[in-house]
Amino acid sequence: MTKAPSNGTDTTGDERRSTSHDPSTAGIENRIETEGDPGSGGDLEYEVVTTPVLVIGAGAAGARVAIELAESGVEPLVIGKRDHGDAHTTWAAGGVNAALGSLDPEDDWTIHAADTFNEGHHLNDPDAVELTTREMPDRIRELEAWGMPFDRTADGDVNQRYFGAQSYRRTCFVGDRTGEAMLETLIERAQALDVPYRENVMITRLLSDGERVDGAVGFDMETGEGLLFRTNHVVLAAGGFSALYHRHSSRDDENNGDGQALALEAGARLMDLEFVQFHPTGMVGDRYGEEWDGRLVTEAVRGEGGRLYNAAGERFMERYSPDQMELDARDVVARAIAREVREGRGTEDGGVSLDISHRDDQYVRDRLPSMVERFESLGVDITAEPMVVGPTAHYTMGGVDIDFRTGETGVGGLYAVGETVAGVHGANRLGGNSLAETVAIGKLVGDHVATVLTDADEDPAVTDSQRALAEREFEALRDLAASDGTVTPTELLEDLGDLLWDHAGILRDDAGLREGLAKLDALRERTADLRVEGDRTSKSFEYAVDLSASLTVAEAMLRAARERTESRGAHYRTDYPETADDWRVNLVLTAEPAGLSFGRRGVGDPSPAVRAALEADHQLDYHHLE
Amino acid sequence: MSTQQAEPESQEAPEDPAMKGAESPAADEQTGGGMVDDHAEKRAELEGETVHIKVFRYDPEVEGKQEPRFDDFHVPFEKGMTVLDAVMYARDEYDSSLTFRHSCRQAVCGSDAFFVNGKQRLGCKTQISDLEQPVRIEPLPHQEVVKDLVVDMDHFYDQMHTVEPYFQDEDTPATEDLEEQRQTPENREKIKMSSRCIWCGACMSSCNIAAGDNEYLGPAAINKAYKFAMDDREDEQIKEHRLRILEQEHGVWRCQTQFSCTEVCPKDIPLTEHIQELKREAVKKNLKFW
């Protein structure tokens, strides 16, 4: 974990720039107080910050974009909702894929691409997949040059482990804290380059006319003060929306769809929202306490040989996937577990057992230190006894529709990257590919933005109309903070979580989705009676802000799931259990004045090299592991 | 579920807010950490019960809180409840003004190190059922208290940055020149534990030397430097530069091997050993003693 001394003091001292990265100094002269609109009661103090590029999100994707910009001589401003270094990337545990061939020299990037298409059921954007898989070996070497402490083979190469549905050992790792180590490395690099950042900032709206974005508005979560960021280039790297579900592997206050909602409102397209990855092995709350419900047990446990058993002691994956066993695709294993539990073969806590105790104790401690430590703190010794696990909402394959060579969204000046976007993973994500996407595409986007910047972007002027838009948003936020109804944002978010879990979960059908949409309408009506407890620095207010984004994305997700009348990857319709060839299209949606509008778009074909790898039909043979 | 918030026990509170944690009587009473032996038994015993926590309160800006005190809260016990869960419950259900840092809740962000029953611990990693009651929760000693359990971490971060905590290869090679650097598994093993630091500040807070010498780099910063200095992927010249930073007057030689940092580290980093190893390295390089 890497943190800077404090807000503002770690920003660069480049006096030539008139931007106010440092809130303690430059912000003051820009601070204005409006005269107070009639009836609004004043109190609209806010800070204006100008920057050539605003990167929203300080996880791996945002950090990698910022590093690339800084290496190209551009000084972006990175903002994050939490303390610096505390982004959700740190929860990525098991590893990052790159066809280095350290242990299996037969592997190459085309096979990595083929595995990615197969897992994604051929809905992936070919550009996205090929750029990611082809670039990854270099991105690993680069992380290595920046000091990332990868596990090593006996020969000193970067070590690689098995991960689900991958033909070869391809997943590079740092124990089971790969994301944490990767983000630490990226932040160290960003600090060596003096990349300015600002923590505890929430963005609530992008300044957009639907064609072009020219800034972002939000507030400082520690002071409650309004913030207007004036910039000609906004990069959204704000994560996904799996935390909308009742049981999820994210923090409750992250991955709640704010990035997608911001983009949609600004005029961008969203895509593939019906594809939500349920990770097979989340901790089961009834066994470990509600606080732990849904938290991830890394796939690396299975990659290192962990076995799944039902309550009868049967290794049930033999029935579902005799060749790939526990390491079949995540959707297959998740549905298998859900079915075992539903049919009464689960443990008394409503899960199944995941057991790694047959491996040598020291091996487990070396390879899975965080898991050992976490379960130890709960009084469970995983080197000796099994864990109780069940599926948990983990990752959203859908998101903003971008051009992967540039990160462009189709709205001028707005780019997106990381889990915020759709395309690399198609209908289901290969484990170890999310961290890969952040750095592979992050570099390309940073590189592209650096090339389109002009001198005029350096310190853009703030116009009256931008101020007016911002002030309208600050007023809306102030009104939101003053909500004094009877229902709290937390209650509504919990109800939303239950709704999505019940109606847009692992198994879906038309009737259930329709009912979900009806419930969503009812839930939306209850927001009129919202009660926010506390001021703009309170958790209650933060959740109230989240709520609006979450409802937008939830509706899009339910409607997309209803629209796709087939089963493919993570989207499983019990009323349409087969995969339909004519559904090999992406569902693309935009926000129109009349509501969400859906369109279908055909998927491109992979390059000849990748097609050859697909035809060679490489596959993991689980029994090689044993 | 009544709050049962007792009268402020100001007689228990130390005089100087900046030093309160360290001087609290709890520190002497329970240096053993106040652990309960039989975890499972204790946990079962607590089902359906409430847990008594005493939380340090202080706010220089609020009248009535300028005098440090402890507030009592009785929190319903739940399976798996951590110290952080307990203070969050107290804040959410009883007193929304109770202030503390927290974020990831799984011992990664390092924001919730507190002084619990006389020992520096991570709130999210400490099971409440493992502790003697009442559980006394205070801010980290030897750091200025901003408010309640929140301490000023700026000095700690400054010290961390003194050691230049990043790989010092000036430029990233062009993509076509990128080569995988080898690193022996032994060397990787050597730096592995040092890379687990989460910047929580528990070690610095536990260190008597740091308490007396404000300029002492402290265990966390020295460990951070260790991670880079011992990594064979950095070249000798940079290593020497790092050792020069470390062997200065307020560097490694200040450590008196009391092991308090190693004892409290929530990530089990052998901090004291790392400091000793750097002393040996400095001697090998003929860098001067203090």
Side-chain angles (χ1 to χ4, degrees):
Chain A
M1 191 62 36
T2 306
K3 287 162 193 153
S6 71
N7 222 354
T9 55
D10 194 52
T11 53
T12 60
D14 187 348
E15 296 304 327
R16 285 172 295 116
R17 293 172 197 277
S18 57
T19 53
S20 56
H21 299 145
D22 185 341
S24 63
T25 54
I28 291 165
E29 61 180 5
N30 285 326
R31 198 168 301 208
I32 63 154
E33 201 166 335
T34 60
E35 290 305 307
D37 301 310
S40 71
D43 182 31
L44 274 180
E45 237 182 50
Y46 60 91
E47 186 186 338
V48 179
V49 178
T50 59
T51 177
V53 184
L54 182 71
V55 181
I56 301 175
R64 189 62 190 83
V65 170
I67 288 168
E68 199 60 21
L69 286 163
E71 303 229 29
S72 313
V74 178
E75 188 180 82
L77 174 62
V78 182
I79 55 175
K81 283 203 286 195
R82 311 286 165 225
D83 289 350
H84 209 47
D86 181 25
H88 214 276
T89 305
T90 58
W91 284 36
V96 48
N97 296 336
L100 294 171
S102 301
L103 296 162
D104 300 318
E106 314 88 294
D107 196 17
D108 74 36
W109 74 267
T110 61
I111 306 173
H112 181 188
D115 287 349
T116 304
F117 281 114
N118 282 330
E119 175 90 356
H121 296 260
H122 305 276
L123 274 198
N124 328 55
D125 177 329
D127 267 353
V129 174
E130 299 193 17
L131 288 169
T132 301
T133 55
R134 204 170 52 215
E135 300 281 320
M136 269 322 289
D138 280 336
R139 296 288 76 75
I140 293 292
R141 291 173 196 126
E142 182 179 76
L143 283 163
E144 235 238 303
W146 296 338
M148 185 160 165
F150 288 108
D151 274 57
R152 297 284 163 170
T153 67
D155 295 336
D157 294 326
V158 171
N159 203 0
Q160 301 191 281
R161 65 167 38 130
Y162 281 111
F163 240 44
Q166 306 215 37
S167 304
Y168 296 104
R169 283 169 288 188
R170 185 186 291 139
T171 305
C172 314
F173 59 100
V174 180
D176 56 359
R177 42 177 294 273
T178 312
E180 189 188 335
M182 184 182 200
L183 187 62
E184 181 176 11
T185 304
L186 290 170
I187 290 178
E188 282 168 4
R189 182 66 191 161
Q191 289 186 342
L193 293 164
D194 288 330
V195 174
Y197 72 90
R198 189 161 170 166
E199 49 192 11
N200 301 308
V201 170
M202 173 92 119
I203 296 298
T204 59
R205 188 169 295 277
L206 300 179
L207 295 178
S208 169
D209 60 5
E211 304 288 324
R212 245 214 96 73
V213 160
D214 50 19
V217 182
F219 63 100
D220 184 313
M221 299 165 81
E222 289 203 315
T223 64
E225 187 183 50
L227 293 167
L228 163 56
F229 296 93
R230 173 69 184 94
T231 178
N232 290 333
H233 302 276
V234 173
V235 181
L236 271 176
F241 48 93
S242 60
L244 297 187
Y245 282 84
H246 162 72
R247 182 192 269 170
H248 57 85
S249 62
S250 304
R251 302 180 199 180
D252 294 342
D253 53 4
E254 314 247 313
N255 280 331
N256 37 28
D258 44 4
Q260 288 76 18
L262 286 171
L264 188 68
E265 283 162 5
R269 298 175 301 274
L270 302 185
M271 184 174 95
D272 289 348
L273 293 197
E274 64 275 34
F275 298 107
V276 177
Q277 179 166 81
F278 293 89
H279 194 290
T281 60
M283 293 168 73
V284 170
D286 285 349
R287 169 71 180 78
Y288 302 110
E290 271 311 298
E291 282 306 320
W292 291 98
D293 195 40
R295 301 286 183 87
L296 203 63
V297 176
T298 172
E299 182 156 313
V301 174
R302 283 171 292 135
E304 300 295 355
R307 298 165 179 171
L308 290 165
Y309 297 97
N310 62 22
E314 181 199 8
R315 201 162 162 207
F316 57 87
M317 284 310 296
E318 282 165 359
R319 277 188 277 118
Y320 297 91
S321 178
D323 292 331
Q324 304 198 336
M325 297 292 288
E326 282 85 355
L327 284 183
D328 203 336
R330 287 180 173 176
D331 61 313
V332 175
V333 182
R335 276 196 298 275
I337 294 174
R339 183 158 167 195
E340 290 299 301
V341 173
R342 203 171 54 246
E343 294 178 359
R345 293 187 293 276
T347 65
E348 57 182 17
D349 306 308
V352 296
S353 296
L354 172 62
D355 191 13
I356 184 94
S357 64
H358 57 284
R359 307 260 357 200
D360 180 62
D361 287 8
Q362 195 52 47
Y363 182 86
V364 175
R365 287 179 192 285
D366 285 346
R367 292 302 184 96
L368 304 163
S370 305
M371 289 297 120
V372 170
E373 182 185 304
R374 182 197 302 173
F375 280 92
E376 235 163 36
S377 77
L378 294 166
V380 177
D381 175 6
I382 68 166
T383 67
E385 55 186 308
M387 298 156 260
V388 180
V389 296
T392 180
H394 178 55
Y395 189 91
T396 43
M397 277 68 76
V400 183
D401 177 26
I402 63 163
D403 174 341
F404 275 85
R405 285 158 301 181
T406 60
E408 287 176 359
T409 61
V411 177
L414 181 64
Y415 315 81
V417 65
E419 193 177 349
T420 304
V421 309
V424 176
H425 314 295
N428 204 5
R429 179 173 69 81
L430 200 59
N433 265 1
S434 59
L435 288 180
E437 176 184 10
T438 61
V439 288
I441 307 301
K443 178 189 158 65
L444 297 178
V445 173
D447 195 37
H448 173 73
V449 175
T451 62
V452 300
L453 280 176
T454 66
D455 288 347
D457 296 322
E458 197 60 33
D459 186 21
V462 187
T463 66
D464 286 346
S465 67
Q466 286 156 358
R467 284 190 190 277
L469 271 175
E471 284 162 24
R472 191 150 37 143
E473 179 68 7
F474 297 138
E475 272 175 48
L477 290 174
R478 190 191 48 201
D479 292 347
L480 182 64
S483 306
D484 57 357
T486 62
V487 56
T488 64
T490 315
E491 285 172 65
L492 292 175
L493 284 170
E494 277 172 8
D495 288 353
L496 178 64
D498 289 338
L499 181 169
L500 292 174
W501 188 261
D502 293 343
H503 298 287
I506 300 172
L507 304 177
R508 302 146 172 206
D509 65 28
D510 189 66
L513 289 163
R514 253 187 302 136
E515 197 185 330
L517 280 161
K519 284 187 184 172
L520 188 74
D521 281 344
L523 214 153
R524 216 189 274 279
E525 276 171 27
R526 287 164 65 202
T527 60
D529 188 29
L530 199 64
R531 181 174 85 246
V532 173
E533 294 165 328
D535 59 16
R536 279 172 291 190
T537 66
S538 69
K539 206 70 198 167
S540 181
F541 180 66
E542 182 188 334
Y543 281 132
V545 171
D546 287 344
L547 185 61
S548 131
S550 297
L551 289 170
T552 303
V553 175
E555 183 192 340
M557 189 161 47
L558 284 159
R559 289 189 46 192
R562 201 175 158 219
E563 188 92 2
R564 182 176 287 277
T565 48
E566 65 151 357
S567 292
R568 187 184 288 266
H571 173 70
Y572 193 87
R573 288 278 300 254
T574 53
D575 47 353
Y576 296 95
E578 302 299 322
T579 301
D581 285 346
D582 58 354
W583 263 112
R584 192 177 161 245
V585 292
N586 297 113
L587 277 176
V588 181
L589 69 110
T590 51
E592 307 296 339
L596 298 176
S597 159
F598 283 86
R600 297 181 191 189
R601 191 171 67 201
V603 185
D605 286 318
S607 66
V610 174
R611 280 208 301 275
L614 280 163
E615 277 155 25
D617 198 21
H618 301 270
Q619 251 184 36
L620 163 83
D621 181 351
Y622 186 88
H623 300 285
H624 279 175
L625 269 76
E626 297 188 317
Chain B
M1 270 188 291
S2 66
T3 313
Q4 300 181 34
Q5 203 162 317
E7 289 298 305
E9 299 172 326
S10 51
Q11 76 278 6
E12 289 190 17
E15 296 303 309
D16 176 8
M19 295 287 286
K20 68 189 81 66
E23 292 172 11
S24 132
D28 304 320
E29 275 166 28
Q30 298 180 333
T31 37
M35 301 293 278
V36 174
D37 288 338
D38 192 337
H39 296 191
E41 192 180 302
K42 191 69 195 171
R43 218 164 271 164
E45 214 172 275
L46 283 170
E47 297 284 342
E49 299 285 312
T50 59
V51 178
H52 181 185
I53 59 174
K54 296 172 91 69
V55 184
F56 181 85
R57 306 302 301 274
Y58 166 73
D59 188 343
E61 288 175 11
V62 173
E63 212 173 319
K65 269 181 80 184
Q66 287 157 347
E67 198 61 42
R69 65 165 199 251
F70 283 87
D71 282 353
D72 291 71
F73 300 98
H74 294 265
V75 176
F77 179 77
E78 273 182 43
K79 193 160 59 178
M81 179 176 252
T82 62
V83 168
L84 178 63
D85 295 333
V87 289
M88 285 174 72
Y89 190 94
R91 178 198 61 192
D92 295 344
E93 302 296 328
Y94 302 147
D95 183 350
S96 62
S97 72
L98 177 57
T99 308
F100 47 91
R101 289 198 184 98
H102 68 95
S103 182
C104 81
R105 296 160 77 172
Q106 62 169 25
V108 173
C109 73
S111 63
D112 66 338
F114 307 130
F115 196 57
V116 181
N117 279 2
K119 187 181 167 192
Q120 287 81 1
R121 305 172 199 260
L122 274 193
C124 61
K125 216 193 149 198
T126 307
Q127 290 286 309
I128 206 105
S129 55
D130 293 346
L131 299 165
E132 298 278 6
Q133 286 190 44
V135 178
R136 182 185 290 258
I137 305 164
E138 300 166 77
L140 288 181
H142 303 135
Q143 269 132 305
E144 198 165 325
V145 176
V146 179
K147 188 180 175 184
D148 295 344
L149 300 177
V150 176
V151 294
D152 185 347
M153 297 288 281
D154 283 0
H155 176 63
F156 175 76
Y157 294 153
D158 285 347
Q159 299 301 73
M160 294 295 266
H161 284 272
T162 305
V163 303
E164 302 174 16
Y166 33 79
F167 250 55
Q168 302 239 327
D169 280 308
E170 288 298 302
D171 300 304
T172 306
T175 291
E176 57 276 17
D177 299 330
L178 278 169
E179 271 179 39
E180 187 178 324
Q181 308 169 70
R182 295 197 169 209
Q183 182 182 26
T184 62
E186 293 74 26
N187 185 244
R188 197 269 167 185
E189 200 56 33
K190 191 179 184 67
I191 60 161
K192 184 170 94 180
M193 292 307 284
S194 65
S195 73
R196 299 186 59 184
C197 175
I198 56 172
W199 296 54
C200 71
C203 56
M204 185 85 137
S205 165
S206 77
C207 176
N208 282 333
I209 312 301
D213 174 7
N214 204 35
E215 287 176 63
Y216 174 43
L217 289 172
I222 296 176
N223 173 70
K224 195 80 180 171
Y226 176 97
K227 173 179 128 168
F228 293 103
M230 292 299 173
D231 192 320
D232 289 345
R233 293 174 296 173
E234 273 197 337
D235 70 27
E236 277 300 306
Q237 223 178 333
I238 297 168
K239 179 169 178 174
E240 232 166 86
H241 169 71
R242 292 194 185 281
L243 287 172
R244 226 163 255 132
I245 296 173
L246 292 170
E247 61 80 48
Q248 47 115 337
E249 184 178 356
H250 303 280
V252 289
W253 301 106
R254 286 278 161 184
C255 172
Q256 295 179 3
T257 55
Q258 296 174 348
F259 287 92
S260 55
C261 55
T262 305
E263 252 171 58
V264 299
C265 176
K267 291 289 170 181
D268 301 326
I269 304 170
L271 295 160
T272 314
E273 280 171 44
H274 287 171
I275 299 172
Q276 301 322 303
E277 216 176 320
L278 286 167
K279 286 181 185 171
R280 288 195 290 276
E281 287 295 311
V283 174
K284 273 198 279 184
K285 300 269 179 223
N286 286 323
L287 296 168
K288 61 178 183 267
F289 278 80
W290 286 92

